[in-house]
Amino acid sequence: MTPPVQLHTFSSRGLRLAYHEAGKGPAVLLLHAFPLSKSMWETQIAALAGSYRCLAPDLSGFGDSEPTDGIYSMEDMAADAAALLDHCGVEQAVVCGLSMGGYAALAFCESHAPRVRALVLADTRAGADDEAGRARRHAQAAEVLEGGSAVLIPGLVPKLLGATSLSGRPDVRERLETYIADAPPEGVAAALRGMAARRDRTPVLARITAPTLVLVGEEDVITPLEESRRLHQEIAGSELTVLTGAGHLSNLERPDAWNAALAGFLERL
Ligand code: MLT
């Protein structure tokens, strides 16, 4: 029987933050994408919790976690991840981040390298935004605060999902639209500003010594395959897995293949 998923809270930077926990064993920290929440890891937790202690926080301002005022930086996300591990009495964890969660995971590698037992970077990149990207995020932050997070749906969903999901997985699309509509505008705006301000962490890649899996959906248009190839090239000894029939939110689009790739990597540690 799969261990039950429990909802808990911890505090970091004076904020009350929520997380899901399930299972016992080596800790796996799951950092979610933008503008989603811990709920996006449901099937990963179900697959892993028989052998691992899964910890999936709501990053500040998402799900059940209080928002950060103004701008939620990648450094703040890393600090929140470390505070969660402290709260759980975990010294080292497998750190797994998808997209924005991957930006946070790289910030965590920079500031807390000894705490990274292994690293999973899914559908993400090390580089910073260009000028146009930063301007787009600030415009989106203003739109969301004005009209609610659902304003992002028409522009974002066709990019977050791959062509195969857009044409053939209406359930995934529906789930994603609900996630986006439910995302609290203040948290979404703070994360957009944080992503706009994030530093280029390419120099961090050469310093990573933890075993690393790079995972990417072949149809990802937000952080395309070349970005993952670059991560794989720069991180010594890393593995690269490309999932066909999946886009940017590869864990939602091909959960079984994604979980098998992650489980195989974890077993080899
Ligand atoms: C995400 O999935 O977290 C976002 O696409 C990241 C981004 O907007 O750069």
Side-chain angles (χ1 to χ4, degrees):
M1 206 182 73
T2 315
V5 177
Q6 292 174 324
L7 175 64
H8 299 297
T9 60
F10 68 107
S11 79
S12 180
R13 299 178 298 110
L15 300 172
R16 188 171 156 280
L17 305 180
Y19 67 103
H20 274 158
E21 172 165 11
K24 288 191 175 27
V28 180
L29 176 67
L30 298 160
L31 301 173
H32 66 77
F34 169 89
L36 285 81
S37 70
K38 57 183 169 1
S39 303
M40 73 170 250
W41 298 118
E42 218 172 85
T43 65
Q44 281 67 48
I45 292 176
L48 292 177
S51 312
Y52 299 93
R53 184 179 182 191
C54 300
L55 300 169
D58 276 329
L59 291 167
S60 163
F62 295 93
D64 299 307
S65 286
E66 286 182 348
T68 298
D69 202 19
I71 173 166
Y72 186 28
S73 69
M74 302 306 109
E75 290 79 5
D76 289 340
M77 291 183 194
D80 293 345
L84 173 58
L85 296 187
D86 291 345
H87 171 81
C88 295
V90 170
E91 187 44 44
Q92 262 204 335
V94 176
V95 179
C96 169
L98 192 143
S99 196
M100 180 179 77
Y103 307 157
L106 285 176
F108 188 87
C109 286
E110 188 174 41
S111 51
H112 296 85
R115 303 192 76 168
V116 182
R117 166 68 186 92
L119 180 66
V120 181
L121 295 172
D123 300 280
T124 194
R125 58 157 60 90
D129 286 357
D130 60 15
E131 200 52 51
R134 280 194 283 274
R136 196 168 49 244
R137 292 205 201 265
H138 286 291
Q140 282 176 338
E143 282 165 30
V144 163
L145 289 174
E146 171 83 21
S149 299
V151 300
L152 295 177
I153 291 174
L156 209 49
V157 170
K159 293 188 190 144
L160 288 175
L161 297 179
T164 305
S165 299
L166 288 169
S167 63
R169 297 185 184 115
D171 51 323
V172 175
R173 185 182 191 132
E174 199 177 312
R175 187 171 159 204
L176 176 59
E177 291 187 353
T178 305
Y179 284 152
I180 298 175
D182 288 350
E186 206 186 340
V188 169
L192 281 165
R193 296 189 194 106
M195 287 193 286
R198 79 186 192 284
R199 281 193 285 110
D200 176 14
R201 288 199 160 77
T202 305
V204 175
L205 303 178
R207 302 202 293 270
I208 294 173
T209 54
T212 299
L213 170 66
V214 180
L215 254 177
V216 64
E218 194 177 26
E219 300 171 5
D220 187 340
V221 294
I222 295 184
T223 47
L225 195 45
E226 307 87 76
E227 295 285 354
S228 287
R229 289 217 175 95
R230 208 165 295 148
L231 293 172
H232 173 49
Q233 274 158 15
E234 299 274 332
I235 303 175
S238 62
E239 302 176 23
L240 172 66
T241 298
V242 181
L243 298 178
T244 56
H248 187 63
L249 294 179
S250 55
N251 76 311
L252 296 181
E253 296 177 66
R254 293 217 44 215
D256 292 347
W258 210 95
N259 296 346
L262 179 58
F265 172 69
L266 294 175
E267 276 159 25
R268 290 191 292 281
L269 291 177

